[in-house]
Amino acid sequence: MAQAGKKPKMDFSGKGLFDRLELTPIINASGTMTSLGASRVNGEAMAAAAAMSQRFVSIDELQSHACGTIARCTGSEAGFITSCTAAGVSLGVAASITGSDLHLMERLPDTTGLASKVVMQAGHSVNYGAPIEQAARLAGAEVVMFGYSTEANVYQLESILGHNPDVVAGLYVVSHHTPQEGLVSLGDFAKAFARRKLPVIVDMAAEYDLRISERLGVDYTVYSSHKFLGGTTGGIVAGKKDLVRSAYLQNHGIGRKMKIGKEGIIGAMAALEAWMERDHDADAARQQEILNLWEKELGQAKGLGLRMVADCTGNPITRLEITVDPGLALLHAWELADRLRQDAPRIHVREQFIENQVILLEPCNLDIDEAKEVARRIIEVLKQAKEKADGRAMGFDEYKRAGHEAMMGWPEGFQKK
Ligand SMILES: *Cc1c(COP(=O)(O)O)cnc(C)c1O
């Protein structure tokens, strides 16, 4: 016990931090998940954030330089940093409603009497941890959908736009979260809005293609600083200058609730700069080495079908797809995923298609030792399922419900017993 007035010295070193809080170490083979801390923040971003944390700076001035960095790296006219991609979407929607009227910015999300409809296709109504529609509604918008969950057409969009004079913007999502077939392309979507001089807001949170707005003439795009860029937590807005300025000025209104600090602004700027300098070929080679290792180590495992799959939205990521045959592996894919999280370090795999007995391993956030541990533990879980014959006990519905019950058990349920 520490004596009164004599606090033990805090140890904020990597291991000390985890030991003192009894935090569970994680090996992240799932990808850049915001809920797992997204990515390893690169040295450039951390150094810039640490240096800035000790200084005073005019945020408007700093953001004006962020604007320049973003313009250089994305080819867009302007940009700024906000707290995350979801915030960037809300601010873009807000800007589409208020234009440059400062008083209207203060009035949001009350949009009484204002044009405030935002149009999106039903297939883009995604949940990235929170529903995207809510990001629009937070700014006071009403979301109008066209098309169906896996199918949408330009004629539906044209009809909606033709019959709704109070549309202020289109909202588009580029992501693995959406169906990849049957929907209206960004090119067609942008054209329909451009003809009416209406902006399109694009959620590109996890997409590597920084220059898409330049190529397609899109008005407003948002990227996460903390995902593939390996920056500190933030959202990077890039787009046309007038709309970007209006979105930035929302910081005097709803944007205040999505504030980013000086360290987050400079951290995102440094991550962008570092991205331009990075040796992407070396990254790809390191990831390929991990994939080869997994293929070799898991190739002989009974009941696992392996396949290398390219990323569905064209990001330069290859993942190992593992199809579990429960008849041979003697457990379901979700039981495998669940059991990989039981021991420390917890291993998180990508569960996008888990209902179909498929897990994906993503190499991006791993070093070679962690990758070896992932393979070793998968083999171990399979071996134990065979020895104990305790697999195929939990149905998928039950697995899904257990996940939601765990959420409701916060905070106690998330601490070591
Ligand atoms: C991760 C993600 C988000 C959320 O990004 P944050 O920066 O964490 O708010 C939004 N949209 C998509 C498509 C995502 O993948």
Side-chain angles (χ1 to χ4, degrees):
M1 269 295 266
Q3 284 171 355
K6 250 196 178 180
K7 277 207 197 145
K9 200 167 179 300
M10 297 264 211
D11 178 1
F12 283 111
S13 67
K15 184 157 187 320
L17 193 64
F18 270 66
D19 287 351
R20 188 166 59 84
L21 297 177
E22 298 192 336
L23 288 170
T24 317
I26 285 176
I27 293 178
N28 177 15
S30 68
T32 48
M33 300 294 161
T34 298
S35 60
L36 294 179
S39 65
R40 289 202 153 91
V41 180
N42 59 48
E44 290 91 340
M46 279 317 290
M52 185 58 85
S53 72
Q54 297 308 307
R55 307 296 292 263
F56 296 93
V57 64
S58 153
I59 295 293
D60 287 335
E61 186 188 347
L62 180 59
Q63 288 273 28
S64 79
H65 288 286
C67 179
T69 301
I70 293 165
R72 223 174 23 260
C73 298
T74 66
S76 62
E77 285 176 16
F80 68 96
I81 313 291
T82 182
S83 60
C84 64
T85 292
V89 170
S90 295
L91 299 179
V93 169
S96 309
I97 295 170
T98 65
S100 56
D101 187 324
L102 289 168
H103 181 238
L104 288 183
M105 293 178 195
E106 291 170 1
R107 214 182 92 184
L108 293 185
D110 179 354
T111 50
T112 313
L114 301 176
S116 59
K117 284 185 180 158
V118 169
V119 175
M120 62 190 296
Q121 49 194 325
H124 283 187
S125 176
V126 297
N127 185 326
Y128 44 69
I132 187 151
E133 285 175 66
Q134 187 180 46
R137 283 190 284 111
L138 263 181
E142 180 193 336
V143 177
V144 180
M145 296 280 186
F146 71 95
Y148 309 98
S149 57
T150 57
E151 193 248 300
N153 292 292
V154 173
Y155 69 81
Q156 295 152 342
L157 172 58
E158 288 291 342
S159 174
I160 294 273
L161 291 175
H163 289 98
N164 286 280
D166 43 0
V167 169
V168 293
L171 180 53
Y172 198 96
V173 182
V174 183
S175 168
H176 69 272
H177 287 290
T178 74
Q180 300 302 315
E181 305 85 21
L183 302 189
V184 172
S185 71
L186 180 53
D188 275 356
F189 191 85
K191 266 186 235 145
F193 285 83
R195 271 200 294 281
R196 293 168 173 86
K197 301 215 173 346
L198 290 172
V200 166
I201 295 161
V202 188
D203 174 351
M204 298 276 294
E207 303 307 300
Y208 287 50
D209 183 0
L210 288 170
R211 303 194 84 91
I212 196 166
S213 69
E214 184 195 31
R215 263 199 335 280
L216 294 178
V218 167
D219 307 81
Y220 186 100
T221 49
V222 198
Y223 299 87
S224 294
S225 164
H226 46 279
K227 291 187 174 173
F228 62 98
L229 291 168
T232 43
T233 302
I236 298 170
V237 171
K240 302 254 166 78
K241 194 188 282 183
D242 287 345
L243 188 63
V244 165
R245 184 190 295 112
S246 295
Y248 177 62
L249 291 175
Q250 306 293 330
N251 281 307
H252 298 284
I254 63 165
R256 179 67 188 205
K257 276 66 77 178
M258 308 164 191
K259 174 189 162 78
I260 186 156
K262 58 193 174 185
E263 69 291 345
I265 300 168
I266 200 75
M269 289 168 69
L272 269 175
E273 300 273 11
W275 182 254
M276 308 310 280
E277 299 292 314
R278 196 142 131 186
D279 185 346
H280 294 282
D281 291 340
D283 279 355
R286 190 184 54 78
Q287 290 173 28
Q288 191 57 50
E289 189 188 347
I290 289 175
L291 292 166
N292 293 344
L293 179 136
W294 282 336
E295 201 169 42
K296 182 163 157 275
E297 300 288 320
L298 300 172
Q300 304 306 319
K302 205 170 159 194
L304 302 187
L306 308 185
R307 195 166 68 106
M308 299 283 185
V309 290
D311 180 68
C312 63
T313 61
N315 293 312
I317 309 170
T318 305
R319 302 187 178 94
L320 182 69
E321 180 193 80
I322 303 179
T323 305
V324 178
D325 178 342
L328 292 173
L330 308 180
L331 84 179
H332 294 300
W334 48 91
E335 292 173 317
L336 173 56
D338 194 46
R339 291 172 191 197
L340 288 169
R341 287 192 301 262
Q342 299 304 322
D343 279 328
R346 292 168 60 136
I347 294 174
H348 284 257
V349 299
R350 203 171 175 86
E351 303 196 11
Q352 200 177 341
F353 306 113
I354 199 154
E355 202 167 350
N356 305 329
Q357 302 284 6
V358 169
I359 63 174
L360 291 162
L361 301 182
E362 175 161 328
C364 301
N365 284 303
L366 300 183
D367 63 32
I368 196 85
D369 288 334
E370 290 175 319
K372 282 181 189 156
E373 177 69 5
V374 171
R376 191 188 70 74
R377 290 269 294 281
I378 289 175
I379 301 280
E380 185 180 280
V381 167
L382 291 175
K383 188 163 158 262
Q384 287 188 357
K386 191 174 167 201
E387 281 169 13
K388 296 187 187 156
D390 61 352
R392 292 182 293 179
M394 176 175 42
F396 182 71
D397 291 345
E398 194 186 330
Y399 176 69
K400 206 170 167 183
R401 258 198 311 277
H404 294 130
E405 271 161 27
M407 263 167 85
M408 299 311 292
W410 187 90
E412 293 82 1
F414 287 80
Q415 294 183 3
K416 292 230 177 74
K417 318 256 161 10

